[in-house]
Amino acid sequence: MESAMATVDHSTKRKPKHRINTTVRSKTRNLSFYEFESRVAINISGLRYETRYSTLAQFPDTLLGNPGKRQEYFDCMRNEYFFDRSRICFDSILFFYQSGGRLRKPHDIPIDIFIEELRFFELGEDVIWKFGVEMGYTMPEDHILPENETFKLIWTLFEFPDSSVAAKCVTILSIVVISISVITFCIETLPEFEEYEGHKYFSNPFFVIEALCVVWFVIEYLCRLLSSPNKRAFLKNFMNCIDLASIIPFFFTLLVMNSFSGFFGPEGLAILRVVRLGRVLRVLKLSRHSKSLQVLFRTFQESKNEFATFCLKNVWNLMMCVIKQ
């Protein structure tokens, strides 16, 4: 009888211990309503934070908001989630959950380190991008490369000057050609070269220089277009539109002068001069290789309405002056 009772007592003492272990495991995997409203402990490099499961669950796609994702970092011994990450950055990340989506960067943390922490906790690229826009930061772009190896080589050659020595040489060549083209255009407007108007245009020594520059511009544009991973985005890009607009005047002038030169009077030549003014846009091509010009270009973008009005007014005045001459 005593041995039987001892056996019963021994079994009854071991069952509660087994139930406690089951409860601990279920607590970290499937949350009941009570556990959903209970507190959760998060240890960030030794500093312990506490919040509610319901607070984290507001953003279920994030690392902390998804039970399956954060399970990897659960410490059963301490009944907490442990992350070896920046404590200062986590203050802002926890505030993101508590405030329902508001994000503020700590003052003493560089932007690249803070973005790295945001990506580790998987707050989402949309949240990171919105944060950068609100704070006035220039967010780094995720560069998409073509899948084809040949196109990838061509794309990096023309788009990323720091990728190789050959890419730097291509960039330097492009800058030299743009500079020669702009200087040639300026010299061509001098009174000494007015004799090359009309049928004498093709005997102009600057025409050969201009033609060689345009050949390079066409090769560069077609190589970038054909190797682009996103053709639609490439064609919509403003700087690529500038590249195309700086090439078209040459071919338009070539077509008109070659086909209709006998029908053109002074008014027709004046219109051609206005069309050739589109070559001035090649100055903007330098902004692709200059940080200072990129800052200037962004300034124009912020005041694009006022700048467009200013440009239209000046173009109209310039056209009137050229036609009257």
Side-chain angles (χ1 to χ4, degrees):
M1 180 72 69
E2 291 180 359
S3 61
M5 291 180 60
T7 304
V8 172
D9 291 340
H10 181 69
S11 62
T12 55
K13 287 180 182 178
R14 294 183 61 180
K15 285 183 180 179
K17 185 181 290 188
H18 179 72
R19 289 176 182 172
I20 291 174
N21 291 336
T22 304
T23 306
V24 171
R25 282 196 292 268
S26 65
K27 183 176 182 180
T28 61
R29 294 179 182 177
N30 301 316
L31 301 178
S32 65
F33 177 78
Y34 171 76
E35 291 163 341
F36 184 74
E37 293 297 331
S38 64
R39 292 185 297 179
V40 54
I42 305 173
N43 190 326
I44 306 295
S45 298
L47 185 60
R48 187 182 175 92
Y49 295 83
E50 288 189 359
T51 185
R52 295 183 182 277
Y53 282 106
S54 57
T55 302
L56 302 179
Q58 295 179 90
F59 303 94
D61 295 330
T62 62
L63 176 60
L64 294 178
N66 190 303
K69 293 180 179 180
R70 66 173 181 255
Q71 176 62 29
E72 179 183 350
Y73 303 91
F74 184 72
D75 186 350
C76 297
M77 299 296 295
R78 296 178 178 271
N79 195 27
E80 65 183 14
Y81 295 92
F82 178 81
F83 298 92
D84 188 15
R85 308 300 298 186
S86 171
R87 299 175 182 176
I88 301 176
C89 292
F90 189 76
D91 287 337
S92 299
I93 293 172
L94 183 59
F95 177 73
F96 171 82
Y97 289 94
Q98 294 171 336
S99 62
R102 296 172 58 189
L103 195 59
R104 292 293 180 267
K105 185 185 80 69
H107 295 292
D108 300 331
I109 298 296
I111 179 64
D112 55 336
I113 294 179
F114 186 61
I115 290 178
E116 182 180 345
E117 293 295 312
L118 298 181
R119 284 180 173 153
F120 173 81
F121 286 100
E122 302 180 21
L123 297 193
E125 292 299 323
D126 293 340
V127 173
I128 296 175
W129 186 262
K130 182 180 178 182
F131 156 75
V133 172
E134 290 178 351
M135 299 299 291
Y137 295 111
T138 302
M139 302 300 295
E141 298 181 358
D142 292 331
H143 300 294
I144 303 175
L145 298 177
E147 296 181 359
N148 185 281
E149 291 298 327
T150 303
F151 287 163
K152 183 185 296 184
L153 178 62
I154 297 174
W155 182 252
T156 54
L157 193 65
F158 284 94
E159 288 293 322
F160 305 106
D162 298 329
S163 61
S164 64
V165 176
K168 290 183 180 179
C169 293
V170 170
T171 301
I172 294 173
L173 177 61
S174 180
I175 294 174
V176 170
V177 173
I178 293 171
S179 302
I180 292 174
S181 176
V182 173
I183 293 173
T184 302
F185 172 74
C186 295
I187 297 177
E188 201 175 5
T189 58
L190 295 176
E192 301 91 84
F193 301 102
E194 289 184 356
E195 58 179 300
Y196 292 105
E197 293 290 350
H199 64 281
K200 296 183 179 180
Y201 177 74
F202 297 109
S203 61
N204 188 341
F206 294 110
F207 172 77
V208 179
I209 300 176
E210 173 67 12
L212 293 175
C213 293
V214 170
V215 168
W216 168 254
F217 295 146
V218 171
I219 293 175
E220 181 186 26
Y221 183 83
L222 290 179
C223 287
R224 294 174 57 245
L225 173 62
L226 295 176
S227 63
S228 172
N230 190 334
K231 304 291 190 299
R232 186 174 183 180
F234 180 89
L235 294 174
K236 287 184 176 181
N237 184 272
F238 180 76
M239 287 306 302
N240 296 329
C241 293
I242 291 293
D243 293 342
L244 183 61
S246 65
I247 297 172
I248 290 177
F250 174 81
F251 291 100
F252 180 80
T253 303
L254 197 65
L255 176 65
V256 172
M257 296 295 295
N258 195 33
S259 303
F260 308 100
S261 58
F263 302 97
F264 265 74
E267 295 82 3
L269 294 177
I271 295 175
L272 283 180
R273 291 195 197 104
V274 174
V275 172
R276 290 205 294 267
L277 285 176
R279 291 155 56 186
V280 177
L281 295 174
R282 293 174 189 172
V283 177
L284 299 179
K285 289 168 65 69
L286 290 172
S287 65
R288 195 183 298 277
H289 314 289
S290 173
K291 296 293 184 183
S292 301
L293 288 177
Q294 289 176 10
V295 173
L296 179 62
F297 180 70
R298 290 193 184 98
T299 304
F300 287 151
Q301 280 187 318
E302 293 296 327
S303 55
K304 55 185 177 182
N305 294 331
E306 295 79 5
F307 183 67
T309 304
F310 172 78
C311 290
L312 287 174
K313 183 177 180 181
N314 282 276
V315 168
W316 176 259
N317 293 335
L318 183 60
M319 290 177 62
M320 293 297 102
C321 292
V322 171
I323 293 174
K324 286 181 180 179
Q325 291 179 357

